[in-house]
Amino acid sequence: MARNHLFHAPRAGTKARKAEETTTWTAARTAALQANVDWAGLRQRMRGALLRPGDPGFEDARKLFNPLNDDHVPAAVAQCESVSDVREAVLAAAHRVPLAARSGGHSYVGYSAPHGGLTLDLRRMSAVNVREDGTATVGAGATLREVYTALGQAGRCVPAGSCFTVGIAGVALGGGIGVLQRKFGLTCDHLVGAEIVTADGRPLTVSASRAPDLFWALRGGGGGNFGVVTQFTFQTDPAPALTIFRLAFREGTVPAVLTAWQPWIKEAPRELWANCNISGGTKPSCSVAGCFVGPSTACHPLLDDLIARCGVVPTKRIEDRDYFKAMRFFSGKPDRESFVASSRVLSSPADDPGAVVGLLTGRAGMSLILDPLGGAVADVGVQQTAFPHRNAFATAQIYAAATAASEAAVTRNVGEVVAKLASLGMGGGYVNYIDPALPDWPTAYYGPNLGRLRSVARDYDPDEVFGFPQGLTRA
């Protein structure tokens, strides 16, 4: 019987939805569910620690990257140190309390901290080993900082995200967009094998030749849907020398910049990646930042071309850097950050750049970040992996700073922009920018791959052991 769905309440980040969740999770019901788990026995069977409320370290262990999710309080955090720990935790909690794995803890709405349930904290399983054949095994708890450090020391690279505290697991399982994708493809394109613990506690090794349907699904099907991945194997590339740059454009010039940026980046060589980050305000401003695989002498003419096309002179920062230092440039700094976010996908350049910019007018604290696809991303077929946006022009992230007091208003503001982007022809969404309020999210995230992904999820988790509000067994 599929019982675990009874334990999950949806969360959209608004006060109203939080009130609904609080009502669903009465103290008596939570206590009854938690009593079904043999916590003492699990603690004895684990090599790692099992932390419960009141235990030293529990408060730090349970919190995710976004403080707006601090109201998600799991019944326990299992600090797994081995596949055996993961297996014991899954078997102890399955069908009893909500269950989710976490690595970096960057789930936008806190799905990796199931309220009243069990968090499988994989951060102690973070070893990165680079082999002589160019493959790298990466523990599912590793952050991008750990991955980039180890690969950089070995003179190798894998294309992935930009924030150093993000976990490799979430990045890879959702597809893995990043600053090197036009040259090297997505993170999931470099995945050649994985170790996973399924809902019935089985440890499996998957690859193109072993459980190929599950392996296909892990390359873009989203985290939390099929089991707990404990280790990844990636095919790496030689680490290139890179040029990083940032062009900052003054207020009032954004329509001209966006009008020029769209055809410029679409026509650019795949060695070049550059996003357009529009900052809201009375008069929006923007920057174009990115990297070029090669020396700055080859990059300068490309940037000069953009400047000539838009007719606006920006302030410039251009530097030659090695792989690790270039990744650090894009990494951001805060250990935690309060925000509300969502996404859209541009199948082609926007027909009316001025209308897009107009959505940010008067919205201080909000950003619209356009990240270009193309190049190597489009070399892979739409249904060759689970990531469906192969032929799209760009992804759009709508990101807004928020506090607990402003969260409801900011959420409404973000929702308005998301809806208006859809009216401008931008549909779809990126599963790693997960948003419960995104209309028709199953199709938005997975497109033509949805049916096959549902089938794989139900094959490996028929009873919704890993069910959550935007899980594939709900789609």
Side-chain angles (χ1 to χ4, degrees), residues 59-77:
E59 282 300 306
D60 287 338
R62 76 170 182 85
K63 290 179 180 177
L64 306 179
F65 178 74
N66 190 340
L68 297 182
N69 296 317
D70 283 354
D71 58 345
H72 283 216
V73 184
V77 176

mmCIF file of all heavy atoms in Angstrom, residues 59-77:
data_model
loop_
_atom_site.group_PDB
_atom_site.id
_atom_site.type_symbol
_atom_site.label_atom_id
_atom_site.label_comp_id
_atom_site.label_asym_id
_atom_site.label_seq_id
_atom_site.Cartn_x
_atom_site.Cartn_y
_atom_site.Cartn_z
ATOM 1 N N GLU A 59 20.577 21.007 16.038
ATOM 2 C CA GLU A 59 20.104 22.248 15.429
ATOM 3 C C GLU A 59 20.939 22.619 14.213
ATOM 4 O O GLU A 59 20.418 23.030 13.179
ATOM 5 C CB GLU A 59 20.097 23.379 16.459
ATOM 6 C CG GLU A 59 18.924 23.330 17.408
ATOM 7 C CD GLU A 59 17.586 23.435 16.677
ATOM 8 O OE1 GLU A 59 17.401 24.391 15.908
ATOM 9 O OE2 GLU A 59 16.732 22.557 16.874
ATOM 10 N N ASP A 60 22.248 22.498 14.335
ATOM 11 C CA ASP A 60 23.107 22.805 13.188
ATOM 12 C C ASP A 60 22.913 21.790 12.067
ATOM 13 O O ASP A 60 22.897 22.140 10.885
ATOM 14 C CB ASP A 60 24.577 22.842 13.611
ATOM 15 C CG ASP A 60 24.923 24.077 14.428
ATOM 16 O OD1 ASP A 60 24.188 25.080 14.325
ATOM 17 O OD2 ASP A 60 25.924 24.023 15.165
ATOM 18 N N ALA A 61 22.763 20.532 12.423
ATOM 19 C CA ALA A 61 22.674 19.476 11.413
ATOM 20 C C ALA A 61 21.389 19.551 10.608
ATOM 21 O O ALA A 61 21.375 19.214 9.425
ATOM 22 C CB ALA A 61 22.791 18.110 12.087
ATOM 23 N N ARG A 62 20.310 20.001 11.219
ATOM 24 C CA ARG A 62 19.014 19.978 10.541
ATOM 25 C C ARG A 62 18.810 21.137 9.589
ATOM 26 O O ARG A 62 17.997 21.074 8.670
ATOM 27 C CB ARG A 62 17.878 19.984 11.566
ATOM 28 C CG ARG A 62 17.633 21.336 12.218
ATOM 29 C CD ARG A 62 16.352 21.343 13.044
ATOM 30 N NE ARG A 62 16.081 22.644 13.637
ATOM 31 C CZ ARG A 62 15.441 23.629 13.008
ATOM 32 N NH1 ARG A 62 15.023 23.459 11.768
ATOM 33 N NH2 ARG A 62 15.210 24.772 13.622
ATOM 34 N N LYS A 63 19.540 22.249 9.765
ATOM 35 C CA LYS A 63 19.265 23.467 9.005
ATOM 36 C C LYS A 63 19.837 23.389 7.600
ATOM 37 O O LYS A 63 20.932 22.884 7.380
ATOM 38 C CB LYS A 63 19.828 24.681 9.743
ATOM 39 C CG LYS A 63 19.059 25.006 11.016
ATOM 40 C CD LYS A 63 19.644 26.206 11.741
ATOM 41 C CE LYS A 63 18.851 26.517 13.007
ATOM 42 N NZ LYS A 63 19.459 27.644 13.767
ATOM 43 N N LEU A 64 19.082 23.938 6.661
ATOM 44 C CA LEU A 64 19.472 23.965 5.261
ATOM 45 C C LEU A 64 20.049 25.334 4.902
ATOM 46 O O LEU A 64 20.202 26.202 5.754
ATOM 47 C CB LEU A 64 18.262 23.633 4.390
ATOM 48 C CG LEU A 64 17.544 22.330 4.721
ATOM 49 C CD1 LEU A 64 16.349 22.115 3.798
ATOM 50 C CD2 LEU A 64 18.491 21.142 4.643
ATOM 51 N N PHE A 65 20.348 25.542 3.625
ATOM 52 C CA PHE A 65 20.982 26.779 3.180
ATOM 53 C C PHE A 65 20.075 27.985 3.350
ATOM 54 O O PHE A 65 20.521 29.075 3.709
ATOM 55 C CB PHE A 65 21.386 26.632 1.707
ATOM 56 C CG PHE A 65 22.013 27.853 1.110
ATOM 57 C CD1 PHE A 65 23.313 28.218 1.428
ATOM 58 C CD2 PHE A 65 21.304 28.647 0.214
ATOM 59 C CE1 PHE A 65 23.899 29.348 0.870
ATOM 60 C CE2 PHE A 65 21.875 29.767 -0.358
ATOM 61 C CZ PHE A 65 23.175 30.121 -0.021
ATOM 62 N N ASN A 66 18.780 27.819 3.097
ATOM 63 C CA ASN A 66 17.840 28.937 3.140
ATOM 64 C C ASN A 66 17.171 29.014 4.507
ATOM 65 O O ASN A 66 16.403 28.120 4.881
ATOM 66 C CB ASN A 66 16.780 28.752 2.041
ATOM 67 C CG ASN A 66 15.912 29.976 1.854
ATOM 68 O OD1 ASN A 66 15.799 30.835 2.719
ATOM 69 N ND2 ASN A 66 15.263 30.057 0.699
ATOM 70 N N PRO A 67 17.421 30.078 5.295
ATOM 71 C CA PRO A 67 16.807 30.181 6.620
ATOM 72 C C PRO A 67 15.285 30.200 6.603
ATOM 73 O O PRO A 67 14.660 29.929 7.639
ATOM 74 C CB PRO A 67 17.368 31.510 7.162
ATOM 75 C CG PRO A 67 18.669 31.689 6.455
ATOM 76 C CD PRO A 67 18.415 31.150 5.068
ATOM 77 N N LEU A 68 14.671 30.516 5.462
ATOM 78 C CA LEU A 68 13.213 30.477 5.396
ATOM 79 C C LEU A 68 12.677 29.066 5.583
ATOM 80 O O LEU A 68 11.479 28.884 5.815
ATOM 81 C CB LEU A 68 12.725 31.045 4.062
ATOM 82 C CG LEU A 68 13.029 32.520 3.785
ATOM 83 C CD1 LEU A 68 12.447 32.939 2.450
ATOM 84 C CD2 LEU A 68 12.516 33.413 4.912
ATOM 85 N N ASN A 69 13.549 28.069 5.487
ATOM 86 C CA ASN A 69 13.136 26.680 5.708
ATOM 87 C C ASN A 69 13.438 26.185 7.120
ATOM 88 O O ASN A 69 13.315 24.987 7.394
ATOM 89 C CB ASN A 69 13.837 25.762 4.699
ATOM 90 C CG ASN A 69 13.425 26.052 3.274
ATOM 91 O OD1 ASN A 69 12.241 26.259 3.004
ATOM 92 N ND2 ASN A 69 14.382 26.080 2.354
ATOM 93 N N ASP A 70 13.797 27.092 8.018
ATOM 94 C CA ASP A 70 14.137 26.671 9.379
ATOM 95 C C ASP A 70 12.950 26.107 10.145
ATOM 96 O O ASP A 70 13.130 25.467 11.194
ATOM 97 C CB ASP A 70 14.749 27.838 10.164
ATOM 98 C CG ASP A 70 16.204 28.104 9.790
ATOM 99 O OD1 ASP A 70 16.769 27.318 9.005
ATOM 100 O OD2 ASP A 70 16.767 29.107 10.281
ATOM 101 N N ASP A 71 11.726 26.351 9.653
ATOM 102 C CA ASP A 71 10.560 25.776 10.316
ATOM 103 C C ASP A 71 10.350 24.312 9.957
ATOM 104 O O ASP A 71 9.446 23.664 10.484
ATOM 105 C CB ASP A 71 9.302 26.588 9.980
ATOM 106 C CG ASP A 71 9.026 26.674 8.483
ATOM 107 O OD1 ASP A 71 9.934 26.357 7.690
ATOM 108 O OD2 ASP A 71 7.904 27.072 8.108
ATOM 109 N N HIS A 72 11.179 23.765 9.086
ATOM 110 C CA HIS A 72 11.144 22.328 8.791
ATOM 111 C C HIS A 72 12.033 21.612 9.805
ATOM 112 O O HIS A 72 13.259 21.696 9.738
ATOM 113 C CB HIS A 72 11.672 22.063 7.384
ATOM 114 C CG HIS A 72 10.687 22.389 6.313
ATOM 115 N ND1 HIS A 72 10.568 21.649 5.166
ATOM 116 C CD2 HIS A 72 9.764 23.369 6.204
ATOM 117 C CE1 HIS A 72 9.612 22.150 4.398
ATOM 118 N NE2 HIS A 72 9.125 23.207 5.008
ATOM 119 N N VAL A 73 11.421 20.925 10.736
ATOM 120 C CA VAL A 73 12.173 20.268 11.812
ATOM 121 C C VAL A 73 11.987 18.757 11.697
ATOM 122 O O VAL A 73 10.916 18.228 12.022
ATOM 123 C CB VAL A 73 11.708 20.749 13.198
ATOM 124 C CG1 VAL A 73 12.575 20.113 14.291
ATOM 125 C CG2 VAL A 73 11.770 22.266 13.287
ATOM 126 N N PRO A 74 12.991 18.049 11.220
ATOM 127 C CA PRO A 74 12.867 16.590 11.131
ATOM 128 C C PRO A 74 12.860 15.951 12.516
ATOM 129 O O PRO A 74 13.334 16.544 13.499
ATOM 130 C CB PRO A 74 14.100 16.176 10.334
ATOM 131 C CG PRO A 74 15.095 17.270 10.563
ATOM 132 C CD PRO A 74 14.297 18.531 10.727
ATOM 133 N N ALA A 75 12.347 14.747 12.590
ATOM 134 C CA ALA A 75 12.374 14.004 13.851
ATOM 135 C C ALA A 75 13.779 13.549 14.191
ATOM 136 O O ALA A 75 14.116 13.357 15.362
ATOM 137 C CB ALA A 75 11.451 12.793 13.764
ATOM 138 N N ALA A 76 14.621 13.382 13.160
ATOM 139 C CA ALA A 76 15.993 12.924 13.376
ATOM 140 C C ALA A 76 16.823 13.241 12.145
ATOM 141 O O ALA A 76 16.297 13.375 11.033
ATOM 142 C CB ALA A 76 16.029 11.421 13.667
ATOM 143 N N VAL A 77 18.118 13.348 12.369
ATOM 144 C CA VAL A 77 19.084 13.494 11.287
ATOM 145 C C VAL A 77 20.074 12.349 11.410
ATOM 146 O O VAL A 77 20.758 12.215 12.430
ATOM 147 C CB VAL A 77 19.833 14.841 11.355
ATOM 148 C CG1 VAL A 77 20.895 14.920 10.261
ATOM 149 C CG2 VAL A 77 18.859 16.006 11.235
#
